[in-house]
Amino acid sequence: MNAAASAVVKEIPDLCIAYGVSDEYSFIFHKTTTLFDRRSSKLLSTIVSTFTAFYIHLWGVHFPPNIALQPPHLPTFDARAICYPTLANLRDYLSWRQVDCHINNLYNTTFWAMRQKGGMGPREVEEELKGTLASDKNEILWGRFGINYNDEKEIFKKGSVVFCQYELEEPAEGRADTLALEEDGASTAVPDTEPSKTQKERAKKVRAKASVVVRHIDIIKDDFWERRPWISSGKPGKPLAVEDQ
């Protein structure tokens, strides 16, 4: 899934970030994209077909020959397009997805520990976990099985974030390409001037050279967005030195 998502982000430079958990991936176009004249049907069909193509193409890289793709069990994916009006709305959506990742993973980690290590039946486990809080599940994992949930791999706790990597920036106040939050909770974005044709071509070349990375990090806190302003601005950042990539 991550390899296919990375290929999609590399193939379609108008994408600014993608986030994936389990068998679901979200691909985000910047609000200023003009790809396919912003026709949702074209954007949707291009994303889902490109993802499926790379998923099938890369299958043999990640699985042995004896687990080949064969009908009737070939991978297919459905998709839907949603338009979020502001960066704040988008961040809320992505934050919800990452929180949901943690909640589901903590439940599943506890469920299967009780099944596989505790020898309990599925209904018995479901009944005991019904209505429990995160602290209760952590206590079950540690108290019964010696499992520290904090030691679980970040990919399972936080999901996968895919984006083009540039040189990280130090957060700065008053940055023109970040979201301005008003006192009443409303949000506005400082408008950008239309780039020239030369600037567009230069940006296209910079994007083409950028590495697409997969990270399992917190995207809820401001730090992620402030240190990677190119994601919210839609403008490529400063290229990394070769040794940094």
Side-chain angles (χ1 to χ4, degrees):
M1 292 292 290
N2 287 347
S6 298
V8 172
V9 172
K10 189 69 175 178
E11 188 79 7
I12 307 174
D14 282 56
L15 291 169
C16 55
I17 189 173
Y19 178 79
V21 177
S22 185
D23 63 346
E24 294 183 0
Y25 245 100
S26 298
F27 294 92
I28 315 300
F29 287 96
H30 190 261
K31 64 180 181 179
T32 59
T33 185
T34 56
L35 185 64
F36 301 131
D37 294 325
R38 300 176 65 86
R39 285 178 289 169
S40 61
S41 59
K42 291 283 287 185
L43 296 172
L44 197 63
S45 59
T46 298
I47 288 290
V48 74
S49 61
T50 305
F51 184 89
T52 305
F54 275 110
Y55 187 93
I56 294 173
H57 173 69
L58 295 167
W59 179 271
V61 177
H62 299 276
F63 293 94
N66 63 316
I67 310 180
L69 292 175
Q70 296 180 4
H73 305 297
L74 292 175
T76 59
F77 298 91
D78 63 282
R80 61 191 177 117
I82 306 173
C83 186
Y84 290 104
T86 69
L87 177 60
N89 297 136
L90 173 63
R91 285 186 56 180
D92 283 346
Y93 165 72
L94 292 174
S95 296
W96 168 79
R97 287 215 62 200
Q98 190 162 67
V99 169
D100 194 54
C101 168
H102 160 69
I103 292 173
N104 289 334
N105 186 64
L106 178 57
Y107 181 92
N108 290 332
T109 301
T110 310
F111 180 94
W112 286 106
M114 295 170 74
R115 290 275 286 118
Q116 297 174 339
K117 296 179 180 294
M120 299 173 64
R123 289 189 177 180
E124 186 181 4
V125 174
E126 289 174 358
E127 281 299 315
E128 183 168 345
L129 291 180
K130 187 181 299 181
T132 56
L133 303 175
S135 57
D136 300 321
K137 298 181 184 68
N138 277 298
E139 178 58 33
I140 291 173
L141 288 172
W142 179 250
R144 299 186 193 180
F145 311 111
I147 298 174
N148 186 341
Y149 183 74
N150 291 328
D151 294 336
E152 294 294 300
K153 292 183 178 180
E154 295 299 302
I155 184 176
F156 303 127
K157 295 187 294 182
K158 291 186 171 68
S160 301
V161 191
V162 185
F163 53 91
C164 288
Q165 181 69 297
Y166 302 100
E167 185 176 305
L168 294 177
E169 297 187 17
E170 291 300 322
E173 293 184 3
R175 195 193 303 275
D177 54 345
T178 57
L179 191 71
L181 298 178
E182 304 295 341
E183 291 183 1
D184 62 359
S187 59
T188 58
V190 178
D192 296 323
T193 57
E194 179 67 20
S196 65
K197 184 177 180 180
T198 302
Q199 290 174 322
K200 289 181 179 179
E201 288 299 320
R202 186 182 297 115
K204 185 177 180 181
K205 291 179 181 179
V206 173
R207 287 194 187 96
K209 293 180 180 179
S211 298
V212 173
V213 298
V214 180
R215 298 287 185 262
H216 316 296
I217 54 180
D218 191 323
I219 59 174
I220 299 174
K221 296 177 181 177
D222 292 337
D223 183 73
F224 172 83
W225 302 90
E226 291 174 352
R227 302 205 69 195
R228 301 166 183 83
W230 60 85
I231 294 176
S232 57
S233 71
K235 302 173 184 176
K238 183 179 179 181
L240 286 170
V242 176
E243 60 269 23
D244 294 332
Q245 299 188 42

